[in-house]
Amino acid sequence: MVRWCLIIITCFPLLARAQKFSRADVGRLRSYCTGIFLNKEPVNAVMPLTLRIQRIWPKRNDGLWLLTERTDTNHCSQVWHFYIQDDSTLVMQFLVFRAEEKTLQQGKDNMQAPVIRMNNLLTRGGCERYLKKTRTGYVGRSAGKDCLADKTGTDYFTCDMEFTRNTLIWQETRFNKDNEKKGSETFHFVKQANSLK
């Protein structure tokens, strides 16, 4: 009996720390993420970094899907997918375009939002973030060395993200094959008033 009491007492802190997620968390992330964001500390003073995030595929019942478009001197688009894997695991998945320029240009040519199809997207395997709740929002980080980089001299990178009501913080740290840190960038985005809902 004493042994069982000790096991329960030992495991209780672990059980108490397990977070529960529900559809309300996905709804909160939609509110936090959708809109137009400006980088608080512009990387390029001539062309400030803008992040435009809008919901796509609202009728799907497998989580929240968002199209993100980052613009500065270049243009970069991704699809973010937030979903509840189980009641204690909230995942943020990244997808990239097979032919980004072609897809986005079709929308511009037709003067409407681009038509995005699942078969035009590729999953960035190993780049998933597993989110945790904080007092003000959610934080997440990619795990291990599986998020492969596409920059010369970089083998993989880690990415930390934080979502709150009016801010989005994104930090990427790059490493080479010898696990040596090759650089880091932090973007602190602030949601603009009257932006998208």
Side-chain angles (χ1 to χ4, degrees):
M1 181 69 176
V2 173
R3 180 189 296 172
W4 284 108
C5 288
L6 288 173
I7 291 172
I8 291 170
I9 291 169
T10 304
C11 293
F12 184 77
L14 297 174
L15 296 172
R17 271 180 281 184
Q19 295 184 330
K20 298 293 183 185
F21 294 102
S22 69
R23 292 172 62 103
D25 292 294
V26 176
R28 197 169 296 118
L29 280 163
R30 175 190 171 192
S31 171
Y32 289 178
C33 291
T34 51
I36 298 172
F37 299 78
L38 288 180
N39 194 19
K40 189 175 180 181
E41 298 172 1
V43 176
N44 184 331
V46 177
M47 181 75 72
L49 193 64
T50 301
L51 192 65
R52 179 185 176 95
I53 307 176
Q54 58 186 319
R55 189 178 187 190
I56 57 173
W57 303 332
K59 294 182 180 179
R60 291 186 66 124
N61 60 7
D62 58 348
L64 172 65
W65 294 85
L66 302 171
L67 172 64
T68 69
E69 298 176 273
R70 196 177 97 180
T71 58
D72 46 14
T73 52
N74 295 310
H75 191 284
C76 176
S77 296
Q78 296 178 331
V79 171
W80 295 354
H81 179 207
F82 294 93
Y83 66 95
I84 297 173
Q85 183 171 292
D86 55 55
D87 64 359
S88 61
T89 310
L90 179 56
V91 182
M92 179 187 187
Q93 180 184 38
F94 283 81
L95 299 97
V96 294
F97 288 90
R98 292 178 189 271
E100 177 184 345
E101 290 182 19
K102 181 179 178 182
T103 301
L104 298 176
Q105 189 60 47
Q106 287 173 348
K108 289 177 183 176
D109 292 344
N110 298 327
M111 301 296 288
Q112 60 187 11
V115 176
I116 301 167
R117 294 185 174 87
M118 185 61 78
N119 61 5
N120 288 335
L121 297 169
L122 296 169
T123 303
R124 286 294 305 269
C127 296
E128 299 85 359
R129 278 69 162 157
Y130 295 88
L131 302 183
K132 298 182 183 300
K133 295 181 192 181
T134 66
R135 287 187 303 106
T136 57
Y138 301 85
V139 295
R141 183 177 206 193
S142 56
K145 305 175 184 179
D146 295 328
C147 194
L148 304 180
D150 53 9
K151 291 186 178 181
T152 304
T154 303
D155 192 58
Y156 69 95
F157 68 93
T158 60
C159 183
D160 294 273
M161 299 193 78
E162 179 178 352
F163 306 93
T164 64
R165 185 178 302 277
N166 293 308
T167 61
L168 193 163
I169 300 173
W170 180 330
Q171 181 179 27
E172 287 186 5
T173 305
R174 299 181 299 279
F175 299 86
N176 66 13
K177 62 182 180 180
D178 298 318
N179 302 317
E180 297 170 330
K181 184 176 175 181
K182 301 303 291 183
S184 181
E185 290 179 295
T186 300
F187 304 99
H188 188 150
F189 293 101
V190 178
K191 184 183 283 192
Q192 301 304 289
N194 303 318
S195 63
L196 302 170
K197 291 294 181 186

